[in-house]
Amino acid sequence: MKTRLRFGYLLPLAIILVWGVWVLLKGEDTLRETTFTVFMFIGMASSLNILLGYTGYVSFGHIVFFGLGGYFGFYLVSQHNLALIPASLAGGALSGALAGLLGLAVLRLRGAYFALATIGINEAARAFVSNFGPFGGATGLFVQFSAYEAYGGAGPALWTTFIYLWLVTLVVLLASSLVKSSRFGLGLMAIREDEDAAMVMGVKAPRAKTIAFMISAFFPGMIGTLYFFKNGNVEPGDAFQLHMSIEALVMIMLGGMGTVFGPMLGAVTYQGLRGYLLTSPIFKSLHLAVSGVFLLVIILFIPAGVVGWIRHRIPLTRKLLE
Amino acid sequence: MLDQVLSSLSDGIVLGFVYGLAAMGLSLIWGVMTVINLAHGPVIALGMFGTYLFFTQAGMNPYLAILLVAVLGLLFGFVMYGVAVHRVLNAPHLSTLLATFAINMILIGIGTAVFSTSPHNVDFSMGSLDAGPITIPLTRLIAALGAVLVTVFLYSFLYFTRPGKAIRAVANNREAAELMGIPSAAVLALSFGLGTMLAAVAGGLIATFFPFTILSGGPYELKSFVICVLGGLGNPLGALLGGLILGGLEGLVPAFMPVSWVPVVEFGLFVLVLVVRPTGLFGAK
Amino acid sequence: MMLLQVQEVTKRFGGLQALSDVTFELPEGQILGLIGPNGAGKTTLFNVLNGVFAPNKGRVIFRGEDITGLPPYDVARRGIARAYQVVRPLNDLTVRENVMVGGCFGRECLSLGQAASGAEEVLAVVGLLDRADQLASSLNVAQKKRLELARALGSRPYLLLLDEVLAGLNPSEIAAMLETIQKIRAGGITILMIEHVMQAVMNVSDRVIVLDYGQVIAEGLPEEVVNNPLVIEAYLGDPKLTQRLIEG
């Protein structure tokens, strides 16, 4: 049983590994761009899933960690010429630390109150950054073209960023697997099912929740830095889109929350669908409405998501999909 | 300086009534079924466009149009409840949040296709009221008055009519109410309809003095969250008071710091109240 | 050795005096029955013992250590486990995982592997081994009650708090559950149990204490308590129970 369990955790890693290699071998710019977006959402959805899927807390404004961490990392790259890796680690660290501080206060709230608080935090962060001088206020920050020279020019810099993101995505999936298959993860899932009962069984819920929140905030901070660096600029409107936060939730829902494979599957499917809708002549102007209908159908009829549904229907897959 | 503060404060407070009205819909729905309606913003926007269409296409007086919008809002709420909310009412919070957000996406998607995202306005003016340093356009004053009237109407409805009492019973304890023979599904649909109606009416009133797009409901939805939390989620009268507080803040804050800091103060306060006093400023502990 | 000492524990909710000066001791290896009419404060007492509520006054000493006011998870790690009256299975986890939570976070803080093998043993004791890989939500009520017990046992506690584990079971299920409880005590675990099924509590307990309006009104051997006029009076408001008490 053990070896098959491992297979369930390795599958997503293997897929992303092969996918990244394939993109690198192809070497096409458009393929790199679309894959960048997909990987980014896989990373975002998977890290959010550590809080949402394993711990059961609905962080609606999770994008704040992408925005703030990304802003900080980008600030270090663009204003202080820090290299991309340490900068993105710093971005992640800022997000993680912020989650740690906020967590102590906000994670006391349960259910919809917690969701509302995270929306408020995101809006407060957006409004604050719009007024914050060092981050360029409402206009945001730009990267000097010379910053790309360290990576051999703008083109190679984009490839380097892609490789970093690819690695981060792999690490997120690895972290997600490790958490899920660990003692810590079992405690989180106990909290998800019944927090009070979990505490009575000895789970240190306040600490466990906060750690889960920090892990799930750390990676978005890294990903944000890479994303803004790829774009060459950052502004408050891009960094704190509540909409993106909710899209990540939708991807988790679609693939199956609380699984390692689900958020990845959901991100790929959602991005694929959106790509199709945006380019299709029939749905182009209605793409948002069509996505909405799609989301509604999932929530009403397959709330466990695709992976949950398959696991439920075909017991054999329970050991293969985690 | 004082004149400026007075005029901006009175502006803010008058607007606060309308904010409060918008938030009241959200608060009512939360109070009865603990659902946060994320389609609240687009419904406000639909109220704006409904008023706009009756005004421009049928040449109707805007206030008459708002009455029609109220009826349509009520019906729309029934439909929304039946399609998206009823099935997931007992599921975890995430389901209702995402179900109402799906409606949000659908409304914005269709709205964008039909109206584009360029600004529209109801070209209607009734002059303004002058009192010393304070000048208030009459449309805003009527809107504030309208908000008060609707609140009175809502309270009389909740306290003095049978369906209103049924709503309060269901809000208090759904299971017990069902055992007493109250059809909870119908009552829940009615509450959702009323909540939607309030949002649509607020949108209609706003449309009489501000230009708007299909996305305009968004900021009011966020303000409604803040207001509901200030006034206590699920407490409609608290929502009106919360609206006044928020309006007052929006009037006062610019006197002391740049206008762009207003949202920082608002949302900072929002998170603070949620953490320190989740039952709201006026709620019981 | 005294495993648990409860000293003058008092708990108020607003104007309601839920517990007043509750004092008793529980020696290691005993089964202590806790009875009393509805609303007497039995469940509140459990909540104070395992840290869900902090008492307004008084102390709880467990194995010589003052644990008053510790949060529930710290109490659990010191070796007190609890089975709820209303079953609270972790629905989306398997039966085995439910029990493993107890093992991983309870007194011994086991690793996952150790907890998994410990879970097997415990599930065998309560008779749920064949359902180990099912989701907890798929069990029936009697099985959920057993899971509740297994989960508490999974943490290998010194003291087990049982809150009406017999409620809602049919007579044959009750008999089986009592047998299990005896087996648990034979394994060296001390038990404090709230129970309404009088006959059962009288048969299985070494001693019984009676709570009424938050006060201990009687304490002693089961047969002593049954004949105590104060106890009979406390139950008179509830004729059915009085009947059962007298017959039992």
Side-chain angles (χ1 to χ4, degrees):
Chain A
M1 189 183 99
K2 269 234 149 107
T3 49
R4 271 191 294 178
L5 267 177
R6 292 285 165 252
F7 175 80
Y9 292 122
L10 286 177
L11 182 65
L13 282 173
I15 292 174
I16 297 302
L17 200 67
V18 172
W19 191 344
V21 170
W22 176 65
V23 173
L24 286 178
L25 289 178
K26 278 276 217 178
E28 288 169 13
D29 286 353
T30 48
L31 180 64
R32 183 199 64 217
E33 285 302 294
T34 48
T35 312
F36 192 99
T37 315
V38 174
F39 280 8
M40 178 170 95
F41 273 109
I42 293 175
M44 295 286 292
S46 297
S47 38
L48 178 54
N49 184 47
I50 293 175
L51 185 71
L52 173 76
Y54 301 160
T55 323
Y57 275 73
V58 184
S59 181
F60 236 78
H62 212 65
I63 201 72
V64 70
F65 299 114
F66 170 85
L68 267 188
Y71 243 106
F72 184 58
F74 189 82
Y75 165 76
L76 293 176
V77 172
S78 63
Q79 313 297 309
H80 297 281
N81 294 317
L82 198 65
L84 193 52
I85 291 181
S88 68
L89 282 171
L94 179 85
S95 290
L98 182 74
L101 281 177
L102 284 173
L104 293 176
V106 201
L107 282 167
R108 284 189 299 144
L109 302 169
R110 297 201 185 166
Y113 284 92
F114 176 75
L116 267 186
T118 56
I119 293 179
I121 289 167
N122 184 53
E123 294 305 316
R126 180 219 303 269
F128 174 76
V129 166
S130 309
N131 287 293
F132 189 56
F135 283 1
T139 44
L141 298 170
F142 296 87
V143 70
Q144 298 298 322
F145 199 73
S146 58
Y148 289 128
E149 274 163 19
Y151 305 93
L158 293 179
W159 279 105
T160 311
T161 317
F162 171 76
I163 293 172
Y164 289 170
L165 179 75
W166 177 42
L167 295 177
V168 172
T169 310
L170 285 169
V171 174
V172 175
L173 288 169
L174 187 67
S176 177
S177 302
L178 287 177
V179 168
K180 187 164 186 202
S181 57
S182 70
R183 188 170 160 275
F184 172 64
L186 184 64
L188 294 183
M189 288 186 270
I191 293 174
R192 175 187 75 196
E193 297 299 319
D194 186 334
E195 188 165 342
D196 294 317
M199 287 211 274
V200 167
M201 282 188 273
V203 181
K204 279 194 180 172
R207 200 181 66 175
K209 282 188 296 189
T210 308
I211 294 173
F213 197 33
M214 289 172 75
I215 298 174
S216 77
F218 176 81
F219 294 114
M222 287 191 82
I223 295 170
T225 308
L226 297 176
Y227 176 70
F228 298 134
F229 181 75
K230 185 206 74 151
N231 285 357
N233 77 316
V234 56
E235 51 184 283
D238 286 342
F240 301 98
Q241 292 181 65
L242 196 58
H243 200 265
M244 242 169 97
S245 215
I246 298 172
E247 277 180 330
L249 287 170
V250 172
M251 291 167 193
I252 296 175
M253 244 346 234
L254 174 61
M257 67 171 90
T259 64
V260 178
F261 197 71
M264 182 183 123
L265 183 68
V268 174
T269 316
Y270 184 89
Q271 283 302 327
L273 181 79
R274 183 164 64 180
Y276 167 74
L277 290 176
L278 276 173
T279 48
S280 134
I282 315 165
F283 295 122
K284 204 168 148 193
S285 57
L286 279 172
H287 75 97
L288 197 60
V290 177
S291 312
V293 172
F294 190 62
L295 170 60
L296 193 58
V297 169
I298 293 168
I299 292 159
L300 296 181
F301 302 106
I302 36 169
V306 175
V307 171
W309 188 80
I310 294 176
R311 274 171 61 100
H312 187 70
R313 287 298 151 103
I314 313 166
L316 189 73
T317 57
R318 274 178 214 166
K319 304 219 162 70
L320 301 177
L321 295 174
E322 279 295 340
Chain B
M1 173 69 191
L2 185 68
D3 283 4
Q4 242 178 358
V5 172
L6 268 182
S7 107
S8 105
L9 184 63
S10 61
D11 247 12
I13 288 179
V14 169
L15 275 180
F17 280 102
V18 186
Y19 293 165
L21 183 63
M24 214 178 290
L26 201 70
S27 197
L28 179 73
I29 292 174
W30 170 268
V32 177
M33 56 194 101
T34 59
V35 165
I36 290 175
N37 179 15
L38 289 176
H40 195 65
V43 171
I44 294 176
L46 286 187
M48 296 169 170
F49 276 94
T51 310
Y52 169 81
L53 287 180
F54 285 126
F55 176 72
T56 54
Q57 304 299 311
M60 209 180 269
N61 177 292
Y63 298 106
L64 201 62
I66 290 173
L67 281 182
L68 273 175
V69 163
V71 176
L72 291 176
L74 185 69
L75 296 176
F76 186 71
F78 291 160
V79 174
M80 218 157 98
Y81 177 82
V83 171
V85 182
H86 187 69
R87 247 187 99 99
V88 286
L89 205 54
N90 295 319
H93 277 296
L94 180 63
S95 299
T96 49
L97 285 167
L98 286 184
T100 53
F101 186 75
I103 300 287
N104 175 319
M105 285 167 79
I106 296 169
L107 294 182
I108 299 268
I110 296 176
T112 312
V114 176
F115 301 111
S116 81
T117 49
S118 53
H120 294 62
N121 73 314
V122 174
D123 192 7
F124 179 75
S125 165
M126 300 180 59
S128 54
L129 189 81
D130 291 291
I134 303 170
T135 306
I136 303 172
L138 262 183
T139 46
R140 294 195 191 188
L141 214 55
I142 293 176
L145 221 63
V148 175
L149 266 178
V150 175
T151 312
V152 171
F153 156 79
L154 181 71
Y155 266 77
S156 333
F157 180 78
L158 288 179
Y159 281 83
F160 301 118
T161 68
R162 274 184 76 84
K165 286 176 182 170
I167 288 180
R168 281 168 47 226
V170 171
N172 215 290
N173 187 334
R174 197 188 306 160
E175 276 173 27
E178 264 175 41
L179 290 175
M180 307 296 276
I182 295 173
S184 75
V187 172
L188 292 170
L190 176 63
S191 326
F192 206 92
L194 281 175
T196 321
M197 181 189 89
L198 292 172
V201 169
L205 290 173
I206 293 165
T208 59
F209 49 80
F210 283 150
F212 51 88
T213 72
I214 188 70
L215 302 173
S216 295
Y220 293 102
E221 178 176 325
L222 287 172
K223 280 188 212 299
S224 296
F225 291 153
V226 179
I227 292 167
C228 285
V229 165
L230 290 180
L233 267 165
N235 173 1
L237 196 62
L240 194 67
L241 292 174
L244 291 179
I245 295 178
L246 195 78
L249 268 181
E250 288 190 357
L252 269 184
V253 170
F256 304 101
M257 48 180 104
V259 180
S260 56
W261 281 92
V262 171
V264 184
V265 175
E266 281 177 4
F267 288 104
L269 189 68
F270 167 76
V271 176
L272 192 72
V273 172
L274 252 184
V275 169
V276 179
R277 229 186 133 82
T279 48
L281 294 178
F282 321 110
K285 247 209 132 149
Chain C
M1 181 190 135
M2 281 304 158
L3 188 74
L4 177 74
Q5 292 160 287
V6 177
Q7 299 171 345
E8 296 174 8
V9 162
T10 298
K11 177 72 193 169
R12 283 182 293 272
F13 295 105
L16 179 78
Q17 187 85 14
L19 296 172
S20 356
D21 289 327
V22 173
T23 301
F24 66 91
E25 292 186 334
L26 175 52
E28 202 169 331
Q30 280 202 356
I31 296 183
L32 177 61
L34 179 59
I35 64 170
N38 284 325
K42 301 182 297 284
T43 300
T44 307
L45 178 61
F46 270 22
N47 280 331
V48 168
L49 292 184
N50 81 341
V52 175
F53 301 142
N56 298 92
K57 198 189 113 202
R59 298 205 300 161
V60 180
I61 314 272
F62 182 65
R63 303 181 76 233
E65 185 191 0
D66 188 346
I67 60 162
T68 321
L70 286 183
Y73 41 85
D74 283 335
V75 173
R77 293 199 177 186
R78 281 167 175 71
I80 299 183
R82 172 174 182 178
Y84 279 95
Q85 176 183 6
V86 181
V87 289
R88 300 175 86 160
L90 308 173
N91 280 321
D92 263 4
L93 299 183
T94 63
V95 168
R96 185 198 312 274
E97 284 168 333
N98 264 270
V99 181
M100 283 167 66
V101 173
C104 283
F105 299 95
R107 180 170 69 81
E108 293 188 317
C109 289
L110 301 173
S111 71
L112 275 181
Q114 291 167 320
S117 55
E120 305 254 319
E121 288 168 29
V122 171
L123 286 172
V125 171
V126 302
L128 277 178
L129 194 54
D130 52 333
R131 314 215 170 248
D133 290 315
Q134 288 183 8
L135 288 185
S137 53
S138 69
L139 300 181
N140 67 30
V141 176
Q143 289 164 338
K144 280 180 181 166
K145 290 251 170 191
R146 295 186 158 272
L147 174 59
E148 194 72 33
L149 196 62
R151 212 168 57 180
L153 284 178
S155 65
R156 306 198 188 167
Y158 295 115
L159 172 64
L160 186 56
L161 306 177
L162 299 180
D163 196 346
E164 293 197 39
V165 285
L166 303 177
L169 299 185
N170 66 34
S172 71
E173 286 165 347
I174 288 183
M177 185 65 106
L178 285 177
E179 209 174 293
T180 310
I181 290 174
Q182 298 278 22
K183 230 190 286 178
I184 293 168
R185 191 258 294 268
I189 295 173
T190 310
I191 296 175
L192 175 55
M193 63 189 296
I194 296 178
E195 203 44 72
H196 268 304
V197 183
M198 279 306 153
Q199 208 173 348
V201 105
M202 293 304 160
N203 283 338
V204 83
S205 306
D206 298 305
R207 283 188 316 134
V208 173
I209 53 177
V210 187
L211 272 186
D212 190 29
Y213 291 107
Q215 286 177 312
V216 177
I217 58 165
E219 180 177 2
L221 298 172
E223 50 271 32
E224 291 170 8
V225 167
V226 177
N227 297 317
N228 185 324
L230 271 174
V231 177
I232 295 175
E233 199 188 309
Y235 273 97
L236 272 182
D238 197 339
K240 250 197 219 157
L241 276 173
T242 316
Q243 187 69 28
R244 261 196 250 164
L245 194 68
I246 292 165
E247 282 171 5

